[in-house]
Amino acid sequence: MGIRGLMSFVEDHSNEFFTGLKLRDTKIVIDGYALFHRLCFTSNLELRRGGDYDSFADVVQNFFESLFACNICPYVILDGGCDISDKKLATIKDRAREKIQTAHSLSVGGSGYVCPLLIREVFIQVLIKLRVPFVQCFSEADRDIMTLANHWNCPVLSSDSDFCIFDLKTGFCPLNSFQWRNMNTIKGTRNYIPAKCFSLDAFCHHFSNMNKDLLPLFAVLCGNDHINLPIMETFLSKARLPLGATSSKGRRHHRVLGLLNWLSHFANPTEALDNVLKCLPKKDRENVKELLCCSMEEYQQSQVKLHDFFQYGTYVCPDALHLGLPEWVLVALAKGQLSPFISDALVLKRTILHTQVENMQQPNAHRLSRPIRQIIYGLLLNASPRLEKTSGNALPSRPLAFSEVERINKNIKTSIVDAVELPKDHSDLSKLTELSLRRRQMLLLETLKVKQTVLEPIPASLKLPIAVSCYWLQHTDSKAKLHHLQSLLLAMLVGPLMTIINSPGKGELQEDGAKMLYEEFQRVKAQTRLGTRLDLDTAHVFCQWQSCLQMGLYLNQLLSTPLPEPDLTRLYSGSLVHGLCQQLLASTSVESLLSMCPEAKQLYEHLFNATRSYAPAEIFLPKGKSNSKKKRQKKQDTSCSKNRERTTAHSKCWYEGSNRFGLLMVENLEEHSEASDVE
C-alpha cells in the first residue's frame, strides 16, 4: 500500500520516532517486494540495457550472507496478484504511466529507476539457491507480514509506510537505515547489523498520546494506494485542520501533521469517523462511510497463517479458496512456481505488461510475445465456474477475451486479446498436471514453433532459452540482426564457463581457456558500463527477446516445467550483450573470440546451429544482398526455408565473412544466396 508523505515525515523526526538496534540472533520478516526494489536501485546496477542479472544476484546473495553471519533468520514474503476487488487498479495504472516516463528518460540518457523485466524471477532463484524460506501471497502481502511478525514476535523489514500504521509488537525496521553492508562486532565475536526501529508508541505520544486505533482512519483519510476519494478534499477543506509545526516538505507534510493533530482530539475511530462524515453532503455519507470502514479493515490482522506454511508447507487463503481454484495452482502460487501474472489472468482476466527501457516510438516489446500469452490464456479459460462471477473484465459477448494493460507510445492502453481455444484435454486446468510430459512438452514447443529434434544437442539448462530465441527470430516484428543473435548466444556461455572454472578435475588448459574467455566477457561488460550512449534499436530488440523469455518461462511453469528452468542469474547481462554487439559490429569475430576456449566454441556452435535454422535468411547475407525483390516475397521465403533446412543438415564448417559484422557463414552460403536471387 503506502501512505502519501508519511515515510518522509517520520524520517524527518528520526530521533523522536526511531530507536537504534543491534540486530542479531532473531527471526526477521522481510517484505520481498520492497527488498528486491531497494537492492536493485541502491547498488549501482545497470538499468538501461535490460539489467545485469548476474550482478543483481551477487548483491542479493551478499545481503542474505550478512544476515546469516549475524544469526538472523530471514523469512521473505512476496506480494501476489492484484486484489480480487481490483480496488488498486487506478493506482496500478498511474504507476504504469510513471514507469513509462521513467523508462523513456533512461532511454534518452536521463535518470530514473525501472526494474529490469525478470528481476523478480532472478530474486526468487537466488532465494531458492540460498535456501531462504519464502512464500508468495495470493494478493498483497502487508497484512500477512504483520500477522506473521506478531505471531513470532520479531521485527519487519520493509520500506512501506503502512508498517508505521500496523501495531507491530517488535517494530518496523526501514530498509534505508538497515546497514547490512556495515556489519559490526560485539567483543570481537558476535556480529550484528546496525538498524533503526520505528516506535509506534513514540509516534502516538508525539500527538498527545493519541489512540493507536485511530491510525487506520488517518491512513485512509491521508490517502493510500487503495483509496483516493476526491470528496475527501471537501472534508479536508472544511475541517480546519491544525497544522502544528511548520513542515519543510510542503503540502504533503502539512496534511500529515494536520490530520494527526486533528485525530488526536478523538477518543476512538467511531467518534472521529462521525466527525468526518459531518463535513460531507448527506447524500454521500453512507457510501463514503462504507468505503472508509472497508479500507480501514486492511490494517487488521490477516486470516492467513503464514507460520503454518513455513512449518508445515500448507498455505490457506480464504479469498483464494472461495474462488474454487485447483489445489495444485494454489500450491504453485504460494511456492512462487507460478507468477502473479498467472493469478491476475485467472482471477481478473487482466494482466499488466511492464514497460522496459525500449524505443518508445516503436510498438511495445511485449507485442512480440502476444501469441505465447494467448496460449497461456487458453489454458486458464476453464479454471473454475466461480471465477466467471468474480471477473468483470471479460465481455459477455467475448468469453475468450482477456485484457492487457500495455504501453502505446508514452501512455497506457487496455487492449482486448482473445485466448486460443485448445483441445479438450488441455482445457481443464485442474487436470493439466495429469498430462504426460511428452504432451506438455509438445504444447510448449508448438507454441514456440520449434522442433524437438533441433534442441537435442542443446544442454538441458539452455533448451528453453534457445527455444525462445528460435521463436523470437521467426516473428515478423523482430528486427534482430546477426550480431544480436551472436551476442545473446555468447552471453549464454557465461554459466557453462563458470561451471568449467569451478569444477575440480578439469584439465589445466581447459580451465585456463575458460578463465580467459570469462575474463574477456567481464572486460567487455565493464567497458560497456563506462560508456553513456544507448543504442535504442538494439535495446528494443533485446527487450523483445526478454519479453519472449518471460512469457516462455510462464508458459513452461504453467505446464509444470516440461523443459528445465534456466538459471536466469547467468543467462542475460545487458552490459555484456550490448558490449558484444558493439565489438561484433566493429571488427571482432566470434571465431577469434572463442579461439581461447574450444569447449565454449563447440557449445556455441550447437546453439548457433539450432537457432540458425529459424532465422530469416537475409540476416546471414552480406549487406548488399539483403534487399530482395518484394514482389515475389512469398516464393522467396519458401525457397529460403528449404535452403536453410538443407544448409543445417549438411554444413558444419563456419568461416568469417569479409563484411564488418564478422558474419559466421556456412559452406554453401553462395549457393543459398544465388537461389534466393533467382527467385
Side-chain angles (χ1 to χ4, degrees):
M1 291 184 271
I3 298 142
R4 299 180 189 96
L6 180 59
M7 201 70 222
S8 59
F9 173 76
V10 296
E11 285 172 348
D12 275 3
H13 296 76
S14 179
N15 293 334
E16 297 172 68
F17 302 151
F18 289 89
T19 56
L21 278 185
K22 296 178 179 178
L23 209 63
R24 58 181 173 83
D25 304 324
T26 182
K27 291 178 178 176
I28 190 167
V29 179
I30 299 176
D31 177 348
Y33 179 87
L35 176 62
F36 74 70
H37 277 78
R38 175 91 186 164
L39 295 180
C40 181
F41 296 156
T42 61
S43 303
N44 193 31
L45 298 177
E46 203 292 312
L47 298 176
R48 296 193 302 143
R49 295 176 173 87
D52 286 347
Y53 294 123
D54 52 350
S55 301
F56 173 71
D58 291 342
V59 171
V60 175
Q61 181 162 331
N62 292 339
F63 173 85
F64 284 105
E65 285 177 349
S66 290
L67 268 58
F68 299 152
C70 300
N71 196 29
I72 298 170
C73 301
Y75 291 83
V76 176
I77 319 299
L78 289 160
D79 289 328
C82 296
D83 192 273
I84 296 171
S85 67
D86 223 8
K87 57 192 172 188
K88 203 174 170 180
L89 181 58
T91 300
I92 289 169
K93 287 186 173 182
D94 286 343
R95 288 181 180 169
R97 290 186 189 95
E98 289 170 9
K99 187 180 285 188
I100 289 169
Q101 297 306 317
T102 306
H104 176 254
S105 172
L106 285 166
S107 73
V108 296
S111 59
Y113 297 103
V114 173
C115 271
L117 191 64
L118 299 172
I119 206 84
R120 181 192 179 97
E121 283 71 31
V122 172
F123 182 68
I124 288 175
Q125 286 192 350
V126 179
L127 295 180
I128 293 168
K129 176 187 171 186
L130 298 177
R131 299 184 179 180
V132 174
F134 74 95
V135 65
Q136 181 173 270
C137 297
F138 188 67
S139 55
E140 198 163 72
D142 289 2
R143 293 172 67 196
D144 298 343
I145 290 172
M146 178 265 290
T147 305
L148 179 64
N150 280 344
H151 179 82
W152 280 340
N153 202 25
C154 69
V156 166
L157 184 64
S158 178
S159 55
D160 192 331
S161 55
D162 277 306
F163 290 104
C164 296
I165 304 299
F166 289 120
D167 190 2
L168 292 162
K169 293 179 183 177
T170 317
F172 152 54
C173 296
L175 274 162
N176 62 358
S177 56
F178 188 74
Q179 300 179 53
W180 64 273
R181 288 185 172 96
N182 300 318
M183 188 170 54
N184 286 330
T185 318
I186 300 174
K187 296 179 181 177
T189 56
R190 304 182 74 183
N191 297 325
Y192 70 88
I193 294 174
K196 288 184 178 180
C197 188
F198 177 75
S199 169
L200 192 63
D201 288 336
F203 183 70
C204 289
H205 178 75
H206 182 83
F207 293 98
S208 308
N209 287 317
M210 73 182 295
N211 185 345
K212 292 178 185 178
D213 295 340
L214 288 161
L215 291 177
L217 179 58
F218 157 72
V220 297
L221 290 176
C222 199
N224 61 20
D225 289 350
H226 285 170
I227 186 166
N228 186 21
L229 287 176
I231 200 167
M232 283 297 98
E233 297 299 327
T234 305
F235 153 69
L236 292 167
S237 64
K238 290 183 177 180
R240 295 180 182 176
L241 303 180
L243 292 179
T246 304
S247 168
S248 62
K249 299 286 175 135
R251 189 180 170 206
R252 186 165 287 183
H253 281 195
H254 279 277
R255 174 177 289 196
V256 168
L257 268 170
L259 277 170
L260 288 168
N261 281 319
W262 183 78
L263 285 168
S264 67
H265 293 96
F266 301 105
N268 55 60
T270 304
E271 183 185 342
L273 184 57
D274 287 343
N275 277 272
V276 170
L277 297 173
K278 285 177 186 176
C279 298
L280 304 179
K282 286 185 179 180
K283 63 182 178 64
D284 296 320
R285 289 177 185 175
E286 276 307 309
N287 287 338
V288 172
K289 182 179 181 180
E290 184 179 346
L291 186 56
L292 291 176
C293 289
C294 181
S295 297
M296 288 164 64
E297 287 177 10
E298 295 295 329
Y299 295 91
Q300 304 305 312
Q301 184 163 303
S302 167
Q303 293 179 287
V304 178
K305 297 177 180 179
L306 289 184
H307 56 276
D308 282 348
F309 175 82
F310 289 117
Q311 190 169 357
Y312 308 114
T314 55
Y315 178 85
V316 180
C317 172
D319 286 343
L321 290 175
H322 178 71
L323 296 172
L325 297 174
E327 177 67 18
W328 78 266
V329 172
L330 295 177
V331 171
L333 284 169
K335 291 182 176 180
Q337 295 165 350
L338 289 176
S339 164
F341 175 91
I342 298 296
S343 57
D344 282 348
L346 258 176
V347 176
L348 301 171
K349 279 200 161 184
R350 189 207 63 235
T351 56
I352 312 292
L353 306 180
H354 296 289
T355 299
Q356 304 174 75
V357 181
E358 56 192 80
N359 190 337
M360 299 292 168
Q361 295 179 341
Q362 293 189 34
N364 79 74
H366 293 292
R367 287 293 179 94
L368 215 68
S369 59
R370 179 179 283 179
I372 306 175
R373 292 196 297 279
Q374 289 178 289
I375 295 293
I376 292 174
Y377 300 152
L379 290 169
L380 301 177
L381 272 176
N382 301 312
S384 163
R386 300 182 211 174
L387 284 175
E388 297 304 317
K389 300 174 185 177
T390 305
S391 174
N393 290 291
L395 304 175
S397 59
R398 295 181 64 178
L400 303 182
F402 286 71
S403 57
E404 297 181 339
V405 178
E406 62 174 349
R407 177 187 68 80
I408 302 291
N409 298 319
K410 294 179 192 172
N411 209 330
I412 61 167
K413 178 186 176 183
T414 302
S415 303
I416 304 301
V417 176
D418 284 331
V420 170
E421 284 194 85
L422 296 168
K424 286 186 179 179
D425 56 351
H426 292 85
S427 61
D428 186 348
L429 187 62
S430 64
K431 296 180 180 178
L432 189 58
T433 53
E434 297 173 17
L435 289 176
S436 68
L437 173 63
R438 180 179 165 276
R439 297 287 296 281
R440 288 180 282 116
Q441 196 173 86
M442 189 183 302
L443 177 58
L444 175 65
L445 295 181
E446 284 177 356
T447 303
L448 298 177
K449 301 176 183 177
V450 181
K451 292 180 181 177
Q452 189 169 2
T453 52
V454 171
L455 299 179
E456 285 173 2
I458 307 301
S461 61
L462 292 177
K463 285 185 188 293
L464 183 60
I466 291 300
V468 165
S469 299
C470 292
Y471 170 90
W472 167 72
L473 287 167
Q474 292 176 79
H475 203 287
T476 53
D477 289 340
S478 173
K479 300 294 189 292
K481 302 289 190 294
L482 183 59
H483 61 284
H484 296 138
L485 172 61
Q486 291 173 324
S487 301
L488 273 175
L489 299 183
L490 285 168
M492 290 182 194
L493 301 177
V494 169
L497 284 174
M498 293 185 70
T499 302
I500 295 171
I501 294 166
N502 297 324
S503 297
K506 293 282 184 184
E508 194 173 322
L509 285 175
Q510 219 173 356
E511 285 185 30
D512 287 347
K515 283 179 183 175
M516 286 171 63
L517 182 56
Y518 179 78
E519 286 167 4
E520 174 62 17
F521 283 165
Q522 294 306 302
R523 187 193 65 77
V524 171
K525 181 180 167 184
Q527 191 175 28
T528 307
R529 290 210 59 190
L530 292 174
T532 55
R533 183 180 172 275
L534 177 68
D535 184 327
L536 258 187
D537 290 334
T538 292
H540 199 83
V541 166
F542 291 139
C543 285
Q544 291 175 324
W545 181 82
Q546 280 213 61
S547 176
C548 294
L549 179 62
Q550 182 188 48
M551 293 306 155
L553 278 168
Y554 292 170
L555 177 58
N556 191 51
Q557 290 173 344
L558 189 57
L559 294 170
S560 301
T561 57
L563 292 181
E565 189 156 302
D567 180 3
L568 298 173
T569 67
R570 299 292 181 255
L571 185 68
Y572 178 90
S573 167
S575 296
L576 174 59
V577 171
H578 279 250
L580 288 168
C581 273
Q582 291 171 4
Q583 287 207 0
L584 292 172
L585 279 170
S587 59
T588 308
S589 69
V590 172
E591 192 172 69
S592 63
L593 193 61
L594 296 179
S595 61
M596 61 187 82
C597 184
E599 267 201 336
K601 182 176 183 292
Q602 185 180 30
L603 174 55
Y604 177 86
E605 289 175 1
H606 286 310
L607 303 182
F608 188 82
N609 277 331
T611 52
R612 178 181 56 195
S613 55
Y614 291 94
E618 57 267 21
I619 79 168
F620 301 104
L621 298 176
K623 210 170 185 181
K625 293 189 177 182
S626 61
N627 295 325
S628 47
K629 298 176 182 178
K630 293 182 180 178
K631 292 181 181 179
R632 299 178 182 179
Q633 189 66 45
K634 286 186 180 179
K635 284 187 178 181
Q636 180 184 351
D637 288 345
T638 304
S639 174
C640 288
S641 177
K642 289 178 180 177
N643 277 297
R644 280 203 308 275
E645 289 177 12
R646 187 164 66 250
T647 299
T648 304
H650 296 292
S651 63
K652 295 180 181 178
C653 179
W654 302 4
Y655 69 93
E656 293 176 43
S658 59
N659 63 87
R660 72 191 192 93
F661 295 127
L663 300 177
L664 291 177
M665 313 276 272
V666 290
E667 282 180 341
N668 57 350
L669 182 57
E670 290 182 5
E671 175 191 343
H672 172 81
S673 302
E674 288 169 8
S676 301
D677 289 342
V678 166
E679 291 295 326

